[in-house]
Amino acid sequence: MKVAIVHDWLTTWAGAEKALAQLLACYPQAEIFTTVNFLKPGSVACLEGRAIHTSFIQALPGARKHYRRYLPLMPLAVEQFDLKGFDLILSSSHAVAKGIIPDPNAIHICYCYSPMRYAWDMQHQYLRQSGKEKGMVSMLMRWQLHRLRQWDYLSAQRVDHFIAISDYIKRRVELFYRRPAAVIYPPVEIDKFNPNRERGDFYLTAARMVPYKRIDLIIDAFNQMPDRELIVIGDGPDFDTLAAKAAPNIKMLGYQSDDILIDHLERAKAFVYMAEEDFGILPVEAQAAGAPVIAYGAGGAEETIVDGQTGMHVPEQNADALRACIAMFEAQQASDPMHYSTDACAKQAEQFAQGVFTEKVTHFINDKMRQ
């Protein structure tokens, strides 16, 4: 069987790329198609020796650093891929990958991380953060996003079957594309964690320092709880601003290696997370490490954390609601130290293991290929 895997772009190795790695493990003969590939040669073992086809954007000026500026050209770019003769096309998509023009004889299955957020429900936030809310440039960008939405909807009709990464994304696929979707959670490397280490007396959060991760809310909450220690791991554009507002009980460690992050996850009293994520790998990794998770109860966290057993759902995305939940969490632990057991947390994480992902994906694809 001839298989093509289409991925939006290869510039970093993050959550979507880890799912891509598992798709490649399922189909080792697959060829890869992507708008740009700027990963350092030899840096990713699963890509070694594979045919990787890039689009014309790869050669455009400044694409290495500013490939996102070419977003208006990406629909055209992916439509130029020649997929004639492939039996199975898997698009790994949160932007444009699903928009390829498939061979009519092929089955096209899209593993969808999200409909294109900046073109749909996050348009206003995207314009606000880029400082383009008003003026002629704003009007031009709004027109481009309008056209991008039209293309995004129409190209979704070329997909035979959708797989969403969560029920939350399934609802968005149904809303924006008017298409049904199965749900298969992304793979998480849970085996690298030891949930049985002695817990410390600190709270932990980790994320890229960008606005939607809402690290600011977590810092605001712990600024008002000077007797509780918070450790923050991660770097990004907002790091200096966040570090400047952090009280002495908050340790801003910046970027750390995986080994350091794992060590803190395995020892944390609890992991705190206030972003509204499509899925959210870190809260699952925290549970795999035996740490209960106190997270904003929307998006993926609503599905990955069992409220009252492996963590708590914060009802509102603000600092006061987070402080109230931490107080409740500590009261529950004081009355029953095993209320949030490491075993329960680790067991909850098992359903997101890599092996579960590959088994469900191959079963789904084989079933569709037989139809």
Side-chain angles (χ1 to χ4, degrees):
M1 181 170 64
K2 196 173 180 183
V3 181
I5 298 181
V6 189
H7 192 69
D8 291 308
W9 45 73
L10 290 171
T11 56
T12 59
W13 200 254
E17 287 69 39
K18 291 176 182 177
L20 170 65
Q22 293 304 303
L23 292 174
L24 291 169
C26 295
Y27 298 97
Q29 79 276 28
E31 296 181 34
I32 301 172
F33 294 80
T34 185
T35 55
V36 296
N37 174 23
F38 293 124
L39 293 175
K40 185 178 179 181
S43 63
V44 181
C46 70
L47 298 182
E48 287 300 293
R50 293 188 179 276
I52 302 180
H53 308 274
T54 57
S55 75
F56 64 81
I57 294 175
Q58 180 84 13
L60 292 180
R64 179 176 292 273
K65 289 186 177 180
H66 305 294
Y67 63 95
R68 290 179 186 271
R69 293 182 182 176
Y70 291 112
L71 181 64
L73 294 178
M74 287 186 181
L76 173 64
V78 297
E79 289 182 344
Q80 304 313 303
F81 289 136
D82 183 4
L83 299 174
K84 188 72 175 175
F86 285 94
D87 305 296
L88 171 64
I89 301 168
L90 299 176
S91 53
S92 168
S93 183
H94 60 76
V96 298
K98 60 144 190 35
I100 52 90
I101 298 176
D103 186 321
N105 296 315
I107 297 293
H108 177 194
I109 296 174
C110 174
Y111 189 65
C112 184
Y113 306 99
S114 174
M116 201 182 308
R117 280 194 168 276
Y118 26 85
W120 293 98
D121 52 317
M122 288 184 69
Q123 171 187 297
H124 301 292
Q125 181 178 333
Y126 172 66
L127 292 170
R128 185 165 55 252
Q129 290 175 359
S130 61
K132 303 293 192 300
E133 287 185 280
K134 298 179 181 179
M136 290 302 298
V137 174
S138 175
M139 291 301 297
L140 177 60
M141 291 182 68
R142 290 173 190 272
W143 172 250
Q144 289 178 334
L145 291 172
H146 168 69
R147 295 300 301 271
L148 199 55
R149 277 193 295 277
Q150 291 178 321
W151 176 85
D152 198 41
Y153 173 81
L154 291 172
S155 66
Q157 312 315 307
R158 299 200 286 257
V159 176
D160 292 304
H161 307 284
F162 275 97
I163 304 173
I165 65 169
S166 63
D167 284 316
Y168 177 66
I169 295 303
K170 175 184 177 179
R171 292 192 292 271
R172 297 183 74 245
V173 169
E174 292 170 346
L175 174 63
F176 298 133
Y177 297 157
R178 301 300 180 185
R179 298 292 306 278
V183 174
I184 299 176
Y185 293 116
V188 181
E189 194 178 350
I190 66 171
D191 294 338
K192 64 183 180 182
F193 297 99
N194 176 10
N196 299 313
R197 293 182 63 188
E198 184 177 349
R199 314 311 298 186
D201 193 29
F202 64 89
Y203 292 88
L204 174 70
T205 190
R208 180 162 167 75
M209 302 292 137
V210 291
Y212 90 92
K213 294 293 186 179
R214 302 317 310 263
I215 301 298
D216 59 321
L217 296 183
I218 301 174
I219 289 176
D220 287 344
F222 279 85
N223 278 346
Q224 299 176 58
M225 299 184 291
D227 56 334
R228 294 170 175 86
E229 181 182 2
L230 171 69
I231 293 178
V232 182
I233 292 178
D235 203 352
D238 292 351
F239 180 84
D240 290 341
T241 301
L242 293 169
K245 69 184 294 187
N249 61 310
I250 300 173
K251 296 181 180 178
M252 304 286 293
L253 301 188
Y255 171 80
Q256 297 294 323
S257 67
D258 279 351
D259 289 343
I260 298 297
L261 175 60
I262 290 170
D263 174 65
H264 282 79
L265 286 170
E266 291 175 347
R267 296 186 297 110
K269 183 175 185 177
F271 184 75
V272 184
Y273 208 72
M274 288 297 284
E276 183 175 348
E277 294 280 15
D278 300 328
F279 173 71
I281 287 179
L282 266 169
V284 176
E285 290 183 330
Q287 291 172 95
V293 180
I294 302 171
Y296 176 47
E302 203 172 9
E303 302 171 50
T304 60
I305 301 159
V306 183
D307 192 26
Q309 297 182 32
T310 69
M312 298 184 71
H313 293 164
V314 183
E316 298 178 46
Q317 200 177 30
N318 61 59
D320 289 340
L322 175 57
R323 284 194 301 113
C325 279
I326 289 173
M328 188 184 305
F329 170 79
E330 292 183 350
Q332 290 171 336
Q333 283 207 316
S335 62
D336 178 11
M338 294 303 294
H339 188 93
Y340 298 97
S341 72
T342 56
D343 288 344
C345 292
K347 187 172 180 59
Q348 170 66 5
E350 288 176 2
Q351 65 180 299
F352 308 105
Q354 291 176 332
V356 174
F357 172 83
T358 54
E359 180 181 351
K360 289 186 174 182
V361 163
T362 53
H363 177 79
F364 180 90
I365 293 172
N366 290 340
D367 181 62
K368 298 306 179 186
M369 294 292 288
R370 285 193 295 265
Q371 292 180 3

